[in-house]
């Protein structure tokens, strides 16, 4: 039976194997258990330091490795390109009359398309890692770095095996594994050469370290008389001790194991079982790694230890697999590696799948800002290809609030022209689910800026400047009003700097940093005008802009003179519930007594939880207001909104929402809350499609009559 | 230390840890075990025993006579047909439930990597606390090939379901022996 790889999003979404398989695995729970007693932050700082240090000195560390390995009797070849590496291995095969090769798992050999290259010379390479072997039989590329055949189910695998051995088989996994053992075992005994990768290469001792659970690498390096290890330069570490943090992190993050079943340190040739001396070759491959190390941004990606953890938590990968979100290297990190090692063009396409939820960054043992680097690919693409006129048009509109509002009012009547030419994609996120197929959220007749003038507030010395963001200003002005009323009860008087505009996140997210920087500059001036004690924001995305991105974007655009002001704003910025929580703790805001409790589940928007590190405060504030919090499964997994993402990748977005809704509804809560209008629009839209009575509401709307 | 080692090792995938005060007791166990596993001179039912310090204490000739099918000369063909592979390990790592093998001799690898059941002999006194401590004891400068072994050979490559014995043993039996290679003695 021929099984096709999914070629596009639709096909990938249809194939339920991958998402089903990854969903049934409680990766995050088991991973946390495996890391018990380990200081993960300290561990990844150590790994990043070791690997970052090597990337600064590739040449020197590689030479040390070569010298020491050669002194032990290993032949070391430094290949500057993929071509050189392939040629070396092919020549060696010719010279030694190698006809059959067994391979243990090596991403580097995939990078070279080594099997295909050797095939031309009549050399047969057989994969021995079970997952890789399955992929080889199916003529598929691996869909996951650690679990290459995770996209196939047991029925499909059984049919592949049964074609191979020409016998009918049932779908029992244990039996299938035994079939593979029997088939592959013969290959080990027949092979003239074994090819492996390496997880670590230790310069000090000239050793390579290979980790497997199946034990195939031990056989690949033991039974054939020649062993070739293909090793990317990024696998180098200076000293033996440096292997320790990597061996601690790799198995725990990859498969939630304390250690893989086998971890072999090979430092010298040893005798074969017939008494001859084994030949060991290490091909140390550059293939653009040195160039990557010289790039101040992308150098960081060389800290990757290929654990695949980032794929397991990625909400997009879990839906579409690595055949769509990825190339040879898969998922978010795969996009980055692809852009340097194999195919920049393809990386520029697949980068669009990343929604920027930061989930991967949190658990990366290499301490790599994966979404940040994907954004950098996007930024460079935007810079290279220029900014289309519609981007510019959009920004101008957004930065002129009055014009924007009147335009929106017109647009809500006649939507079509607005959706044309992708103009809509560059508008703030709350408008994003307005497409030709969906209606624009109702634009409030009176914008918050006008409503504000009618709100009566008690005077106070404690002042907070309110940054409304586009959504609260135009679509949810009532929420803005509620924010003010709650804060008033806590003794805070709220001002509204009129000149504020869009926070710039939409531009930043689409890679137009220059435009984002302009937004930042524009807002800074207006926010600091009255020197307020706090800046309060009712939207997690805007909060991120104020707390983090403005400083970064100004830096990246060379607008250094504005950085002190941006830092000042960052220090004073509070997300609404964060400030409420503070006021409750300071006993300035006193909960009413005897209010009925209601059950509520809280969705952590990506921007709040991972960009700003706010997750406890909203829960505490909502509890103080009389809500019983019932956390849903994966409460911090992205809802699929992601601004323009929901338009560009609408099918993926809708499937992410579907999964979210299942988790939300399972709680049986009365309300689902999130402090991001975008998430609320998405969640509310999801609820509309069900017959549940649950409501998606902003915390301010839930708190309005809960304090004295 | 032993207790932690045992707990962790037994959680690492079809692994049993047994402890013996004396080498003699451990040898009795092996005798019974080979009987139980029905070791015979038939491919698939062989046992191979790789060279190691413990072997100095027994008469291998007598053992071989007693168990036709048991061989102390580990070849690739015998190991391939072995039900049981016995070898002695150098260090245990409590925190991980792992053991370290000096794998320079290919025999050690064949016996522990090709058979269905790996019987691993480990001096109880050579269990250290963690990976960092182990790395102070065994250095690749002195060992051409060393392997950390943790549990049986396993995979989750099909539907993320754990399956044992992919290429190597599907069962690991660890015999911790108190009077073997007593450190400092
Ligand atoms: S990017 Fe980080 S999480 Fe992903 S494979 Fe590399 S080290 Fe692992
Ligand atoms: S940021 Fe989110 S969507 Fe992007 S690669 Fe990481 S986990 Fe996946």
């Amino acid at each position: 039976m021929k099984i096709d790889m999914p070629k596009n999003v639709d096909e990938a979404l249809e194939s339920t194997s991958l998402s089903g398989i990854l969903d049934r695995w409680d990766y995050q729970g088991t991973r946390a258990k495996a890391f018990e007693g380990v200081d993960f932050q300290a561990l990844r700082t150590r790994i990043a330091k070791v690997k970052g240090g090597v990337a600064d000195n590739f040449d020197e560390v590689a030479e040390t490795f070569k010298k020491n390995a050669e002194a032990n009797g290993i032949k070391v070849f430094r290949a500057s390109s993929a071509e050189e590496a392939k040629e070396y291995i092919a020549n060696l095969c010719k010279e030694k009359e190698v006809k059959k090769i067994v391979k243990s798992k090596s991403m580097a050999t995939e990078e070279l398309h080594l099997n295909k290259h050797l095939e031309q010379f009549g050399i047969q390479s057989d994969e021995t890692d079970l997952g890789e072997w399955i992929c080889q039989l199916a003529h598929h590329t691996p869909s996951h770095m650690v679990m290459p055949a995770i996209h196939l189910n047991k029925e499909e695998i059984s049919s592949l095996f049964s074609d191979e051995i020409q016998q009918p088989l049932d779908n029992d996994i244990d039996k299938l594994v035994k079939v593979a053992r029997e088939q592959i075992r013969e290959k080990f005994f027949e092979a003239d050469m074994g090819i492996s990768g390496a997880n670590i290469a230790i310069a000090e001792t000239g050793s390579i370290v290979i980790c497997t659970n199946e034990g195939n690498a031990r056989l690949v390096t033991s039974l054939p008389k020649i062993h070739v290890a293909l090793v990317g330069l990024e696998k180098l570490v200076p000293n033996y001790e440096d292997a320790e943090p990597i061996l601690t992190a790799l198995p725990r993050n990859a498969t939630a194991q304390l250690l893989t079943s086998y971890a072999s340190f090979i430092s010298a040739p040893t005798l074969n079982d017939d008494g001859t001396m084994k030949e060991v070759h290490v091909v140390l491959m550059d293939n653009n790694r040195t160039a990557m190390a010289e790039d101040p941004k992308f150098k960081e990606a060389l800290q990757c230890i290929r654990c695949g953890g980032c794929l397991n938590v990625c909400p997009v990968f879990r839906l579409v697999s690595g055949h769509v979100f990825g190339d040879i290297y898969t998922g978010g990190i795969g996009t980055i590696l692809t852009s340097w090692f194999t195919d920049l063009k393809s990386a520029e396409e697949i980068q669009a799948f990343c929604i920027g939820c930061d989930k991967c960054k949190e658990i990366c043992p290499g301490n790599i800002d994966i979404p940040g680097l994907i954004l950098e690919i996007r930024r460079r693409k935007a810079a290279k290809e220029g900014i289309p006129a519609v981007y510019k048009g959009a920004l101008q509109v957004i930065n002129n609030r009055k014009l924007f509002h009147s335009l929106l009012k017109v647009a809500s009547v006649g939507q079509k022209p607005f959706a044309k030419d992708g103009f809509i994609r560059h508008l703030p996120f709350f408008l994003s689910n307005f497409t030709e197929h969906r209606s624009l959220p109702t634009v409030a007749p009176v914008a918050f800026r006008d409503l504000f003038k009618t709100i009566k507030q008690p005077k106070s010395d404690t002042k907070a400047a309110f940054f409304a963001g586009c959504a609260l200003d135009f679509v949810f002005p009532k929420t803005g009003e509620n924010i003010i009323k709650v804060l008033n009860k806590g003794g805070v008087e709220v001002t509204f700097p009129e000149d504020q505009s869009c926070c710039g996140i939409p531009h930043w997210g689409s890679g137009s940093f220059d435009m984002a920087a302009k937004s930042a500059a524009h807002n800074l001036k207006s926010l600091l005008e009255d020197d307020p004690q706090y800046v309060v924001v009712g939207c997690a995305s805007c909060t991120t802009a104020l707390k983090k991105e403005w400083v970064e974007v100004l830096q990246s655009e060379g607008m250094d003179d504005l950085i002190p002001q941006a830092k000042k704003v960052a220090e004073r910025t509070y997300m609404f519930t964060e400030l409420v929580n503070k006021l409750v703790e300071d006993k300035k805001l006193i909960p009413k007594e005897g209010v009925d409790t209601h059950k509520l589940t809280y969705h952590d928007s990506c921007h709040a939880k991972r960009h700003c590190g706010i997750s406890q405060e909203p829960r505490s504030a909502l509890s103080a207001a009389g809500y019983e919090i019932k956390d849903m499964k994966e409460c911090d997994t992205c809802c699929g909104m992601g601004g323009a993402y929901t338009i560009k990748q609408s099918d993926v977005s809708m499937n992410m929402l579907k999964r979210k809704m299942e988790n939300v509804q399972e709680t049986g809560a009365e309300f689902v809350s999130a402090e991001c209008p975008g998430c609320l629009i998405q969640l509310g839209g999801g609820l509309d499609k069900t017959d549940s009575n649950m409501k998606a509401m902003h915390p301010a709307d839930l708190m309005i009559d809960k304090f004295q | 230390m032993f207790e932690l080692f045992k707990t962790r090792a037994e959680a690492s995938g079809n692994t049993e840890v047994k402890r013996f005060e004396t080498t003699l007791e451990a040898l009795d166990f092996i005798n019974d075990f080979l009987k139980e596993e029905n070791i015979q001179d038939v491919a698939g039912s062989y046992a191979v025993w790789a060279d190691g310090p413990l072997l100095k204490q027994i008469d291998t000739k007598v053992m071989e006579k007693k168990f036709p099918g048991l061989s102390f000369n580990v070849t690739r063909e015998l190991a391939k047909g072995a039900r049981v592979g016995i070898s002695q390990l150098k260090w245990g790592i409590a925190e991980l439930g792992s053991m370290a093998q000096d794998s320079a001799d290919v025999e050690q690898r064949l016996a522990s990597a090709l058979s269905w059941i790996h019987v691993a002999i480990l001096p109880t006194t050579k269990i250290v606390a963690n990976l960092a401590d182990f790395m102070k004891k065994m250095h690749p400068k002195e060992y051409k090939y060393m392997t950390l072994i943790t549990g049986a050979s396993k995979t989750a490559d099909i539907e993320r379901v754990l399956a044992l014995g992919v290429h190597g043993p599907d069962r690991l039996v660890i015999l911790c022996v108190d009077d073997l290679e007593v450190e400092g003695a």
Side-chain angles (χ1 to χ4, degrees):
Chain A
M1 186 180 96
K2 187 166 162 7
I3 303 158
D4 290 326
M5 280 197 285
K7 284 185 293 294
N8 53 42
V9 179
D10 291 345
E11 285 180 20
L13 288 172
E14 251 166 53
S15 134
T16 49
S17 329
L18 170 98
S19 53
I21 293 161
L22 282 180
D23 280 353
R24 261 177 278 147
W25 180 29
D26 176 19
Y27 169 72
Q28 304 205 57
T30 49
R31 172 189 180 273
K33 218 172 152 355
F35 273 107
E36 263 168 25
V38 177
D39 180 344
F40 182 66
Q41 288 308 333
L43 181 68
R44 67 173 177 177
T45 309
R46 237 177 112 193
I47 294 175
K49 191 164 167 241
V50 168
K51 301 206 72 155
V54 171
D56 284 330
N57 289 298
F58 267 151
D59 192 49
E60 195 187 315
V61 185
E63 276 310 301
T64 310
F65 177 88
K66 186 172 193 296
K67 194 183 92 214
N68 291 328
E70 281 174 346
N72 299 344
I74 294 177
K75 299 197 169 69
V76 180
F77 175 70
R78 289 190 59 184
S80 65
S81 64
E83 289 312 314
E84 272 185 31
K86 277 194 280 201
E87 209 180 287
Y88 179 83
I89 298 173
N91 285 342
L92 183 66
C93 289
K94 278 182 230 162
E95 186 194 323
K96 305 284 170 187
E97 293 174 16
V98 170
K99 289 281 163 254
K100 288 184 176 179
I101 294 175
V102 278
K103 285 178 66 200
S104 60
K105 200 169 165 349
S106 152
M107 290 304 298
T109 63
E110 306 270 353
E111 187 181 320
L112 307 187
H113 302 284
L114 184 65
N115 296 2
K116 218 175 180 173
H117 182 74
L118 295 176
E119 212 180 280
Q120 307 170 53
F121 309 106
I123 302 163
Q124 182 191 331
S125 320
D126 286 304
E127 298 291 345
T128 65
D129 172 84
L130 178 60
E132 293 282 347
W133 190 57
I134 295 169
C135 286
Q136 193 175 25
L137 293 179
H139 303 285
H140 287 186
T141 53
S143 57
H144 186 295
M145 249 184 253
V146 175
M147 297 170 284
I150 194 75
H151 60 289
L152 295 170
N153 59 32
K154 57 178 187 292
E155 290 77 18
E156 291 166 321
I157 292 168
S158 164
S159 94
L160 286 169
F161 283 12
S162 113
D163 286 355
E164 175 69 11
I165 64 170
Q166 302 287 323
Q167 268 173 41
L169 288 169
D170 65 25
N171 301 330
D172 181 274
I173 291 179
D174 264 318
K175 283 192 207 151
L176 292 174
V177 169
K178 295 295 175 301
V179 169
R181 176 179 173 128
E182 219 172 279
Q183 293 297 311
I184 300 172
R185 177 144 297 185
E186 291 309 318
K187 299 182 195 295
F188 286 121
F189 279 79
E190 290 163 7
D192 312 302
M193 176 188 277
I195 296 184
S196 75
N199 297 90
I200 308 169
I202 307 170
E204 178 196 14
T205 55
S207 321
I208 55 168
V209 185
I210 312 173
C211 297
T212 71
N213 273 318
E214 299 180 3
N216 55 325
R218 301 185 82 204
L219 299 178
V220 160
T221 60
S222 297
L223 292 169
K225 290 186 183 167
I226 308 168
H227 169 208
V228 178
L230 180 68
V231 184
L233 283 181
E234 80 284 6
K235 297 288 162 59
L236 285 164
V237 298
N239 298 309
Y240 179 44
E241 302 88 84
D242 302 325
E244 195 241 332
I246 298 173
L247 285 174
T248 302
L250 179 63
R252 285 176 170 85
N253 223 52
T255 47
Q257 286 173 280
L258 298 182
L259 194 58
T260 48
S261 304
Y262 307 101
S264 299
F265 294 67
I266 302 175
S267 310
T270 49
L271 292 178
N272 291 311
D273 57 324
D274 65 355
T276 58
M277 184 53 83
K278 186 179 296 295
E279 257 190 51
V280 182
H281 297 251
V282 171
V283 179
L284 262 186
M285 179 173 71
D286 189 325
N287 197 26
N288 225 26
R289 283 155 174 84
T290 302
M292 194 173 183
E294 280 160 7
D295 186 296
K297 284 254 161 42
F298 284 95
K299 183 192 142 193
E300 192 177 303
L302 292 161
Q303 288 155 209
C304 173
I305 61 171
R306 307 281 189 276
C307 66
C310 51
L311 311 179
N312 301 335
V313 297
C314 175
V316 180
F317 183 89
R318 283 167 51 187
L319 283 169
V320 302
S321 107
H323 289 142
V324 172
F325 187 11
D327 195 33
I328 288 165
Y329 291 103
T330 52
I333 186 67
T335 307
I336 297 160
L337 300 177
T338 298
S339 77
W340 285 84
F341 299 164
T342 54
D343 186 358
L344 177 61
K345 265 260 138 313
S346 139
E348 286 178 348
E349 295 298 316
I350 55 185
Q351 57 79 19
F353 282 104
C354 171
I355 196 169
C357 73
D358 268 27
K359 193 90 179 156
C360 51
K361 183 176 163 183
E362 213 179 26
I363 56 100
C364 171
N367 217 357
I368 303 167
D369 180 4
I370 302 158
L373 294 180
I374 293 178
L375 187 60
E376 183 64 14
I377 296 177
R378 203 172 293 166
R379 189 190 71 77
R380 289 185 189 183
K381 182 177 187 284
K384 189 170 64 187
E385 291 168 7
I387 296 158
V390 324
Y391 272 52
K392 282 216 175 92
L395 182 78
Q396 275 155 5
V397 171
I398 293 169
N399 274 353
N400 184 335
R401 278 279 163 110
K402 279 213 181 86
L403 175 64
F404 190 18
H405 191 225
S406 51
L407 238 167
L408 283 179
K409 274 198 278 191
V410 176
S412 60
V413 187
Q415 299 170 355
K416 280 269 152 74
F418 225 60
K420 253 175 43 191
D421 303 330
F423 183 73
I424 195 80
R425 290 185 181 185
H426 308 296
L427 293 179
F429 61 86
F430 70 96
L431 295 170
S432 302
N433 70 344
F434 160 58
T435 65
E436 301 203 23
H437 313 289
R438 257 178 283 175
S439 57
L440 186 69
T442 321
V443 173
V446 182
F448 178 80
R449 55 190 53 247
D450 299 320
L451 184 67
F452 178 77
K453 293 171 196 141
T454 68
I455 304 172
K456 299 218 162 37
Q457 297 189 60
K459 291 270 164 257
S460 168
D461 289 338
T462 312
K463 296 224 169 29
F466 181 44
F467 184 83
C470 309
L472 291 189
D473 199 352
F474 300 143
V475 186
F476 303 112
K478 188 75 193 150
T479 302
E481 186 179 353
N482 289 342
I483 286 178
I484 292 180
K485 289 195 169 147
V486 173
L487 294 179
N488 284 166
K489 288 185 182 165
V492 178
E493 186 186 338
V494 181
T495 63
F496 183 74
E498 278 232 7
D499 210 24
Q500 60 182 274
S501 66
C502 174
C503 67
I505 287 275
H507 311 96
W508 178 77
S510 57
S512 320
F513 282 25
D514 51 344
M515 297 205 170
K518 271 188 210 153
S519 285
H522 180 94
N523 282 307
L524 281 175
K525 207 161 132 244
S526 111
L527 284 176
L528 288 172
E529 219 158 40
D530 293 334
D531 197 24
Q533 191 169 335
Y534 303 115
V535 176
V536 65
V537 193
C539 161
S541 301
C542 303
T543 307
T544 304
L546 272 65
K547 281 193 183 224
K548 277 179 65 190
E549 303 312 347
W550 284 355
V551 174
E552 283 175 23
V553 99
L554 289 168
Q555 232 153 23
S556 121
E557 292 303 302
M559 295 158 81
D560 289 357
D561 51 324
L562 289 176
I563 288 174
Q565 290 177 52
K567 284 193 172 151
K568 202 185 252 179
V569 167
E571 276 160 24
R572 296 179 188 189
T573 297
Y574 281 76
M575 193 163 86
F576 167 68
T577 48
E578 194 190 6
L579 187 54
V580 169
N581 184 50
K582 183 176 160 33
L583 295 171
V584 171
E585 278 176 357
D586 295 350
K587 306 249 179 309
K588 299 217 167 91
L589 199 51
I590 316 286
K592 272 189 191 161
E593 276 167 36
V595 292
D596 290 344
T597 56
H598 294 272
K599 242 206 235 171
L600 171 148
T601 190
Y602 185 77
H603 162 71
D604 291 279
S605 65
C606 307
H607 275 123
K609 168 92 190 262
R610 285 177 292 276
H611 289 253
C612 302
I614 303 172
S615 67
Q616 210 32 62
E617 297 84 345
R619 287 178 172 79
S620 304
L622 283 159
S623 300
Y627 292 92
E628 181 199 332
I629 313 286
K630 183 125 192 353
D631 271 329
M632 68 185 100
K633 198 174 134 208
E634 297 198 39
C635 54
D636 65 353
T637 294
C638 183
C639 65
M641 177 49 137
Y645 194 87
T646 192
I647 297 183
K648 292 184 194 165
Q649 309 290 350
S650 60
D651 292 338
V652 179
S653 167
M654 286 303 131
N655 276 279
M656 285 165 81
L657 176 61
K658 205 168 120 211
R659 178 178 284 158
K660 186 94 237 175
M661 286 333 289
E662 283 163 15
N663 292 335
V664 165
Q665 286 186 300
E666 215 179 76
T667 62
E670 233 174 290
F671 300 102
V672 52
S673 188
E675 200 163 341
C676 167
C679 299
L680 287 171
I681 289 171
Q682 178 88 335
L683 295 169
L687 286 172
D688 282 349
K689 293 207 184 95
T690 67
D691 35 348
S692 107
N693 293 324
M694 198 188 282
K695 287 192 183 60
M697 283 173 78
H698 192 282
D701 301 333
L702 288 161
M703 286 177 180
I704 185 63
D705 50 2
K706 306 287 184 180
F707 292 100
Q708 292 176 19
Chain B
M1 207 89 94
F2 169 78
E3 283 310 319
L4 180 62
F5 173 77
K6 180 176 160 77
T7 313
R8 292 283 158 90
E10 291 188 339
S12 69
N14 213 20
T15 301
E16 302 133 73
V17 180
K18 317 216 175 282
R19 183 170 181 173
F20 304 95
E21 272 177 30
T22 64
T23 307
L24 266 180
E25 283 167 8
L27 284 169
D28 280 346
F29 175 86
I30 293 173
N31 254 291
D32 294 346
F33 192 81
L34 293 176
K35 251 184 252 158
E36 225 171 85
E37 292 301 327
N38 202 15
I39 296 311
Q40 309 170 43
D41 197 6
V42 179
S45 298
Y46 301 147
V48 289
W49 194 331
D51 197 16
L54 182 139
L55 286 188
K56 290 195 190 78
Q57 303 188 33
I58 63 170
D59 188 335
T60 54
K61 290 271 167 330
V62 175
M63 276 291 270
E64 267 176 341
K65 270 223 183 78
K66 196 164 163 198
F67 293 100
L70 167 65
S71 173
F72 293 89
N73 174 27
V74 188
T75 65
R76 59 160 67 198
E77 284 309 325
L78 287 175
K80 190 181 177 192
R83 168 137 195 87
V84 177
I86 309 174
S87 73
Q88 185 165 336
L89 283 292
K90 288 209 82 90
W91 295 97
I93 306 172
E95 184 192 65
L96 306 173
S98 311
M99 295 173 298
Q101 177 183 60
D102 174 358
S103 319
D105 258 332
V106 69
E107 272 197 25
Q108 302 291 331
R109 276 172 269 150
L110 296 178
S112 59
L114 285 169
S115 53
W116 281 104
I117 307 171
H118 177 204
V119 175
I121 301 163
L122 179 69
T124 318
T125 58
K126 297 191 86 174
I127 299 174
V128 295
N130 53 39
L131 185 60
D133 285 357
F134 159 74
M135 289 173 81
K136 286 181 202 120
K137 302 280 187 190
M138 211 169 165
H139 201 287
K141 268 191 183 137
E142 292 148 49
Y143 296 89
K144 292 181 174 174
Y145 193 143
M146 54 195 219
T147 310
L148 297 174
I149 299 177
T150 315
S153 152
K154 49 182 126 25
T155 187
D157 274 355
I158 304 181
E159 295 198 0
R160 277 237 26 95
V161 174
L162 180 71
L164 297 161
V166 201
H167 295 296
D170 67 357
R171 184 175 164 202
L172 173 62
V173 181
I174 303 176
L175 312 181
C176 290
V177 186
D178 294 355
D179 74 351
L180 198 61
E181 290 187 55
V182 178
E183 264 215 299

